C-alpha cells in the first residue's frame, strides 16, 4: 500500500513538473504535455498554414516550467520534416539554428533567433523551414516544432511579448546536449530575457491541479 502510494505520488510529481510551451512562433498544434518527449510534441507533419517569420531579427518566446534548463533550436529545410533525421546536416549532425545554451528561471522567455546568420544552406527569403526547440529542464529532452516561411520584410508582431523582462543569465553558457549527437558550432552569446506576465497563471494552474490530485489520492487511502 505504502509503496504503491509513493509510486503514485512520484508519477504525479513528475507529471506536474513538466515542461515548457512554445508560445511564438505558434507550434504545429496545441501543446500536449505527455507527448512533448516525442518528436515535435508528436505532431509529425508540417502544417499547411505556415507562420511568416523574419529572416533576420527573429525571436522565439516560450514558457518554462523548470527552474534550470537548456535549450537548443534545430532547423530543417525539408518541406515536410517528419523525423529527427530531417533536422540533421549532410554529415548527420544536428543542424542547429541556435546552439544549446543554459537558462534559468520559470516563466516567459524571449530568445533571439537570427536565422540569416546561421549559414545554413537554403535559409533564404521565401523558404519554407521548420524549427524544433529542444528543451531539457532535468526530466529529459522535450520537443516542439513550428513551420515557417521566411521573409526579409516580415517583422515580429508587436503583440509578441518580448519586453518587460529582466535580463537573466545574460550570456548563457554553452552546454553539450545529453544525447549522442553534439553541437558542432561554437557558442553564441545572445541573451535571454525573462518576464513575469502570464507565468503566474500557468504555475498557479499546475499547483492547483496538483493539490486537487493530491487531495483525491489522500481521500482514497
Ligand atoms: Cu518537464
Amino acid at each position: 500500500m505504502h509503496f504503491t502510494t509513493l509510486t503514485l505520488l512520484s508519477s504525479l510529481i513528475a507529471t506536474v513538473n513538466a515542461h515548457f510551451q512554445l508560445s511564438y512562433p505558434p507550434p504545429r498544434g496545441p501543446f500536449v504535455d505527455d507527448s512533448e518527449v516525442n518528436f515535435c510534441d508528436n505532431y509529425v507533419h508540417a502544417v499547411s498554414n505556415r507562420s511568416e517569420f523574419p529572416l533576420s531579427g527573429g525571436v522565439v518566446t516560450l514558457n518554462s516550467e523548470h527552474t534550470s534548463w537548456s535549450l537548443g533550436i534545430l532547423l530543417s529545410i525539408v518541406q515536410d520534416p517528419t523525423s529527427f533525421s530531417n533536422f540533421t546536416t549532410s554529415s548527420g549532425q544536428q543542424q542547429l539554428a541556435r546552439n544549446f545554451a543554459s537558462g534559468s528561471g520559470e516563466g516567459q522567455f524571449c530568445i533571439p533567433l537570427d536565422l540569416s546568420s546561421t549559414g545554413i544552406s537554403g535559409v533564404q527569403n521565401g523558404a519554407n523551414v521548420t524549427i524544433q526547440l529542444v528543451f531539457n529542464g532535468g526530466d529529459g529532452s522535450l520537443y516542439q516544432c513550428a513551420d515557417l516561411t521566411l521573409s526579409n520584410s516580415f517583422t515580429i508582431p508587436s503583440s509578441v511579448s518580448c519586453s518587460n523582462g529582466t535580463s537573466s543569465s545574460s550570456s548563457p553558457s554553452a552546454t553539450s546536449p545529453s544525447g549522442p549527437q553534439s553541437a558542432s558550432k561554437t557558442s553564441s552569446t545572445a541573451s535571454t530575457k525573462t518576464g513575469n506576465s502570464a507565468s503566474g497563471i500557468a504555475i498557479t494552474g499546475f499547483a492547483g491541479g496538483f493539490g486537487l490530485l493530491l487531495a483525491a489520492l489522500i481521500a482514497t487511502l
Side-chain angles (χ1 to χ4, degrees), residues 14-20 33 36 65-66 135-140 142:
T15 301
V16 297
N17 273 345
H19 279 320
F20 88 100
D33 184 277
E36 208 174 24
E65 292 170 354
H66 286 275
F135 179 103
N136 191 326
D139 56 2
L142 305 166

Side-chain angles (χ1 to χ4, degrees), residues 118-139:
T118 59
I120 296 171
S121 172
V123 170
Q124 59 194 30
N125 185 43
N128 289 339
V129 305
T130 299
I131 56 170
Q132 179 159 210
L133 278 71
V134 183
F135 179 103
N136 191 326
D139 56 2

Side-chain angles (χ1 to χ4, degrees), residues 71-73 89 93-102 114 117-120 171-177 182-190:
L71 175 74
I73 302 178
T89 65
Q93 291 201 298
Q94 290 181 317
Q95 182 154 263
L96 286 161
R98 183 178 168 84
N99 295 306
F100 283 88
S102 60
D114 193 273
S117 64
T118 59
I120 296 171
S171 45
S173 58
T175 58
S176 294
S182 66
S184 61
K185 294 196 288 190
T186 54
S187 134
S188 65
T189 57

